[in-house]
Amino acid sequence: MHGDDTSAAAPAPTAAKPVRSGSIRFYLTNEFGLVVLIAVFAGIFGLMTDGRFFSTFNQFTLGRVAAVNIMVGFSMMVVIVTGGLNLAVGAIGVCSAMVFGFLAQVGGLPWPAAVVGAIATGALLGWVNGFVIVRSGLHSFIITLASMSIFFGLMLYLTKAESYRGIPPDFSEFGRARLFGVVSPMLVVAFAAGVLLVLLYRYTVIGREMLAAGARPEAAELSGVRVGRIFILCHMLSGAIAAATALLVVARTGAAIPSMAGQLGQDWLLLAFLGPVLGGTLLSGGRVSVIGTLLGAILVTMLTNGLNLLQIGEFWVQACLGILLLLAVLIDLMRRSYLAHRRMV
């Protein structure tokens, strides 16, 4: 086990002793590969943009975008760990942001109280998803695909697609602030969320139950884990993180806008998958890599930023990200096959 790589699957007893090749296994981890790729692409973009990639302004901008991408990845990751999906991540985020705007601008609440209301809204919408999934027995793909349209449509009806631009100045200032002249506090929030998730999966009973329920639901149920309740909690956590992500966007733009995550929140979907998949989180559930997800989101942000600086068309940027997702899945499949062949897993 390297880094924060956390899995519910215990090593299966075998007749022969597994090969001890810790160093080889380390170099084959997703986290090591991502660190190498980040360093390589940073060097390439630095050279090809005549240093503009490393300018103070660009690094600050990159940090703010990376913070949002990291949080979007976490929001999807905590559901993937159950073997499920949450296609409504963007819709939940936008709904929560609009609740924040309403409470702060129309309700006149202090922004900390509005933040609590927005995150509670995200958790509530996540609970709705989880409850329907558990009760119906249908795959989360179908349920969250439907709820994505329902949540977004209701939000448009209730707000009449109007933005809230009366965000408290103190809250907007957070999105513009700089630490040491270059680091965005939003990036600190994303890293802090990562630390909390590592602690959750490594050191808490509920985190271990989430991994066990995702790896082998039937076995977990026999062991006393209330799998249905755990699945609902995972969706609530996903909704709360999606809400926190949307609040970062509100702080960055200074407004709660219905189109902040695109139509139906679909602009967040590819980003939500890229971080966890690149980082090594198993789509079948039971294994999570928080640090891998964080590094994967940073790599995606860096690629997008570098290609934009090179004035590559938006279509090609999206095509590159799609190819990256496909390559990540195939390479991870080959890596696991190699490790299994060498009996190192």
Side-chain angles (χ1 to χ4, degrees):
M1 182 181 296
H2 298 279
D4 71 315
D5 184 359
T6 311
S7 170
T14 55
K17 196 173 184 179
V19 176
R20 293 184 180 277
S21 302
S23 59
I24 296 177
R25 188 178 175 185
F26 170 75
Y27 292 125
L28 288 174
T29 60
N30 294 65
E31 291 84 353
F32 179 79
L34 286 169
V35 169
V36 172
L37 286 175
I38 288 171
V40 168
F41 279 112
I44 291 174
F45 288 136
L47 290 173
M48 295 184 70
T49 61
D50 297 326
R52 283 181 294 141
F53 180 78
F54 289 113
S55 69
T56 302
F57 175 76
N58 191 57
Q59 290 301 304
F60 171 69
T61 303
L62 194 149
R64 293 206 307 176
V65 177
V68 173
N69 291 346
I70 290 168
M71 293 292 283
V72 171
F74 285 159
S75 181
M76 182 65 79
M77 181 194 75
V78 298
V79 172
I80 289 179
V81 76
T82 67
L85 301 169
N86 183 9
L87 303 184
V89 163
I92 292 175
V94 175
C95 290
S96 304
M98 298 307 287
V99 168
F100 171 80
F102 175 82
L103 294 177
Q105 180 177 318
V106 181
L109 294 181
W111 69 261
V115 165
V116 173
I119 292 178
T121 300
L124 175 63
L125 297 179
W127 177 86
V128 172
N129 275 340
F131 181 81
V132 176
I133 289 167
V134 171
R135 288 291 182 181
S136 68
L138 294 173
H139 195 278
S140 54
F141 176 87
I142 300 297
I143 301 300
T144 57
L145 181 64
S147 66
M148 176 175 67
S149 295
I150 296 169
F151 294 158
F152 198 84
L154 282 174
M155 181 274 297
L156 288 180
Y157 173 76
L158 294 173
T159 64
K160 297 180 172 52
E162 295 289 337
S163 303
Y164 294 108
R165 299 185 181 277
I167 303 302
D170 290 347
F171 188 78
S172 299
E173 185 61 30
F174 178 78
R176 293 192 294 268
R178 300 188 185 200
L179 301 175
F180 310 109
V182 66
V183 179
S184 170
M186 293 169 56
L187 197 57
V188 176
V189 171
F191 275 74
V195 171
L196 291 176
L197 287 172
V198 169
L199 295 176
L200 170 71
Y201 290 118
R202 271 190 174 272
Y203 300 110
T204 68
V205 174
I206 195 76
R208 287 292 181 185
E209 288 183 348
M210 288 175 175
L211 293 169
R216 297 185 182 88
E218 296 81 7
E221 193 80 52
L222 290 173
S223 302
V225 177
R226 297 173 64 185
V227 174
R229 185 178 69 101
I230 292 296
F231 281 11
I232 293 173
L233 283 176
C234 288
H235 277 276
M236 291 179 68
L237 181 58
S238 175
I241 297 175
T245 307
L247 292 175
L248 292 182
V249 178
V250 173
R252 191 177 68 187
T253 59
I257 305 171
S259 60
M260 60 191 294
Q263 183 66 18
L264 298 177
Q266 293 179 359
D267 286 1
W268 286 6
L269 267 185
L270 183 58
L271 296 170
F273 280 106
L274 277 169
V277 173
L278 288 173
T281 297
L282 269 185
L283 289 173
S284 55
R287 180 180 183 274
V288 69
S289 175
V290 177
I291 293 178
T293 299
L294 186 146
L295 292 172
I298 290 176
L299 175 63
V300 169
T301 308
M302 179 182 292
L303 286 173
T304 306
N305 180 269
L307 292 174
N308 284 330
L309 285 177
L310 293 173
Q311 298 183 333
I312 304 293
E314 180 64 22
F315 168 79
W316 290 109
V317 173
Q318 293 300 318
C320 287
L321 294 181
I323 292 171
L324 184 64
L325 177 61
L326 183 60
L327 286 177
V329 174
L330 295 176
I331 292 173
D332 189 55
L333 186 64
M334 289 189 290
R335 184 183 67 88
R336 292 179 192 284
S337 177
Y338 174 80
L339 291 173
H341 180 70
R342 297 286 300 271
R343 303 170 72 180
M344 294 165 63
V345 292

